[in-house]
Amino acid sequence: MASIFTKIIQGEIPCYKIAEDERFFAFLDINPIAEGHVLVIPKSETDYIFDLEDDLLSGLTLFAKKIATAIDLSLGTIRTGIIVEGLEVPHAHMHLIPIYFEEQPFTLSRKIEVKQERMVELAKLISKAVKQ
Ligand code: AMP
């Protein structure tokens, strides 16, 4: 059965899309731990990130860099952090977490509430800053 992320890529489930290319896709996490929390994923479905073939893993990292740069440019962060966990959705992904201040909580277990209109706005801000 297709993962929820494959369904998002295929447009069967809606998302706050940020960017995509031939191999990768980026969208907002619906249960963010900070405003502008993004997930980057390979379009092909593999559960464990370290099972990805080398070229795909390095490509995912470079795609994450491009999106993190856009987050930093558009949201006034001090930097963007990465978390890789993968315990909930069996489709390899990196969490890109905008960091706005030094003592900001940095754990997936501390979700925040972001209103739908703000999610739309955040997705627009970040996606406009992604360099093609
Ligand atoms: P994990 O597999 O533990 O690294 O976390 C999976 C992440 O996917 C969680 O932070 C969820 O909030 C997120 N997530 C699950 N379903 C969706 C969805 N439909 N759209 C966006 N993010 C999702």
Side-chain angles (χ1 to χ4, degrees):
M1 199 177 99
S3 76
I4 190 160
F5 290 171
T6 295
K7 289 181 181 167
I8 285 173
I9 294 163
Q10 291 171 346
E12 291 170 32
I13 292 178
C15 74
Y16 300 98
K17 182 177 164 183
I18 304 295
E20 70 177 313
D21 66 14
E22 277 178 18
R23 296 193 297 168
F24 307 108
F25 195 93
F27 56 107
L28 292 183
D29 192 305
I30 40 160
N31 298 302
I33 67 166
E35 283 201 352
H37 173 170
V38 173
L39 299 175
V40 292
I41 62 176
K43 288 183 172 175
S44 59
E45 199 175 311
T46 298
D47 175 1
Y48 182 38
I49 195 162
F50 293 124
D51 283 337
L52 293 177
E53 179 261 315
D54 288 355
D55 182 58
L56 200 58
L57 178 57
S58 52
L60 179 64
T61 305
L62 292 176
F63 184 73
K65 178 181 177 181
K66 185 159 102 166
I67 305 302
T69 302
I71 292 171
D72 290 336
L73 281 172
S74 59
L75 300 187
T77 57
I78 54 173
R79 61 177 53 200
T80 288
I82 294 186
I83 296 177
V84 177
E85 188 191 80
L87 295 176
E88 185 187 319
V89 177
H91 185 141
H93 53 280
M94 292 179 181
H95 296 256
L96 299 181
I97 316 293
I99 300 174
Y100 298 99
F101 56 96
E102 287 192 8
E103 307 307 320
Q104 181 179 312
F106 196 73
T107 163
L108 292 179
S109 56
R110 288 196 55 172
K111 310 289 187 185
I112 60 164
E113 197 188 326
V114 181
K115 295 212 174 344
Q116 194 182 334
E117 313 84 74
R118 180 65 178 151
M119 292 287 271
V120 171
E121 191 178 32
L122 288 163
K124 274 191 196 148
L125 285 170
I126 302 168
S127 58
K128 268 170 63 181
V130 175
K131 290 213 173 76
Q132 294 312 317

